[in-house]
Amino acid sequence: YGATGKNAFLGDTGIGTDAPTQLLHVYEGNGSAPTDANTHAVIESDSHSYIGIYGGTSADTGIHFGDTVIAGRIQYKNGDNSMLFGTNGSTLALTLDSSQNATFAGDISVPQSSKILFDGASGHTYIEEVSDSNLKFYVAGVEMLNMTNDHFYIPDGKKINFGAGDDLQIYHDGSNSWIKDTGTGGLILTTGLLEVYNAAVDEFMIKATENGSVILYYDGLQKFSTIGDGVQVPATKGVY
């Protein structure tokens, strides 16, 4: 016991053990804690083990980290039951409020091929970065959207729905592509020029011009068109 009212120990100190392995060694039961040169305090037990830090009803409790100054902290605010994490001079980095909502002060980085996971009873819903230019979205473990740096894919049978009652649907069923208007009203297209091509995009099928003609084609050849006072069929063609 020192003259200043402080205790000084010149070696390892044990509580519950006469063979401490660290500067402070608290021991209960027959636990066997690992040790290393950078560990200076150990609390071990063969049952549950906690460290309790308690303060007043509206006071804060926590742990500070650093070298010669406080550089980081974990802080619990008893007043509003929130927990704060600070880094880089105790600058606030993360707040967890009493409803388990998390607020990050900086960016959230997820390593490539890792997932942002939302747990669910029927399977996992998650977002996965497959590569630097490929991001996938899954619902209940089923891929719903695949995005790359220049386009996105929607798997066969998955629909893009518009309207409160799925009034307009766009999808591919594995065999055919569908645009389905099933809601109130009709399907309205507005344009000054409508051109419908074949799959190779090298032949017209239909061409409609605002305030002008509507032309129908067969195998890339014009067969029928509207004109100002009626319709027109090429002279070499017949009407059957």
Side-chain angles (χ1 to χ4, degrees):
Y1 182 81
T4 58
K6 299 180 180 179
N7 292 319
F9 299 91
L10 303 179
D12 296 341
T13 301
I15 300 176
T17 177
D18 59 3
T21 60
Q22 309 297 323
L23 291 177
L24 175 62
H25 191 166
V26 180
Y27 183 90
E28 179 188 38
N30 57 0
S32 180
T35 61
D36 64 74
N38 296 316
T39 300
H40 303 303
V42 170
I43 299 175
E44 63 173 315
S45 172
D46 58 355
S47 185
H48 303 296
S49 185
Y50 293 90
I51 297 176
I53 304 176
Y54 304 97
T57 303
S58 299
D60 300 343
T61 56
I63 302 173
H64 287 157
F65 306 90
D67 39 32
T68 59
V69 296
I70 298 173
R73 78 177 189 271
I74 299 174
Q75 179 182 4
Y76 192 86
K77 301 179 73 65
N78 291 312
D80 60 9
N81 291 314
S82 63
M83 179 168 282
L84 285 62
F85 296 81
T87 60
N88 191 24
S90 290
T91 302
L92 182 62
L94 168 64
T95 300
L96 301 176
D97 68 16
S98 59
S99 298
Q100 294 77 53
N101 297 308
T103 301
F104 292 86
D107 296 336
I108 302 174
S109 297
V110 179
Q112 185 173 305
S113 299
S114 296
K115 302 177 178 67
I116 300 176
L117 187 66
F118 309 89
D119 205 359
S122 59
H124 291 305
T125 297
Y126 59 92
I127 303 170
E128 178 183 16
E129 184 189 33
V130 180
S131 67
D132 289 340
S133 59
N134 189 193
L135 191 66
K136 291 185 177 182
F137 295 79
Y138 294 78
V139 176
V142 178
E143 182 182 333
M144 300 298 292
L145 178 63
N146 183 348
M147 299 178 63
T148 70
N149 59 347
D150 57 3
H151 50 260
F152 65 87
Y153 299 95
I154 295 178
D156 288 341
K158 307 305 179 185
K159 302 176 181 179
I160 301 176
N161 294 332
F162 300 88
D166 299 339
D167 303 311
L168 176 64
Q169 301 177 358
I170 302 176
Y171 64 98
H172 186 78
D173 64 7
S175 299
N176 299 292
S177 299
W178 295 80
I179 300 176
K180 294 178 65 175
D181 171 42
T182 61
T184 303
L187 179 64
I188 300 173
L189 302 177
T190 63
T191 179
L193 176 63
L194 173 66
E195 297 179 339
V196 180
Y197 290 86
N198 63 344
V201 198
D202 57 8
E203 292 181 355
F204 279 118
M205 298 171 68
I206 302 172
K207 183 176 182 179
T209 305
E210 183 178 15
N211 299 323
S213 63
V214 176
I215 304 173
L216 304 181
Y217 296 80
Y218 178 85
D219 195 19
L221 300 176
Q222 180 177 329
K223 298 297 182 180
F224 180 93
S225 64
T226 61
I227 56 177
D229 55 359
V231 298
Q232 185 178 59
V233 177
T236 56
K237 311 300 179 185
V239 178
Y240 300 93

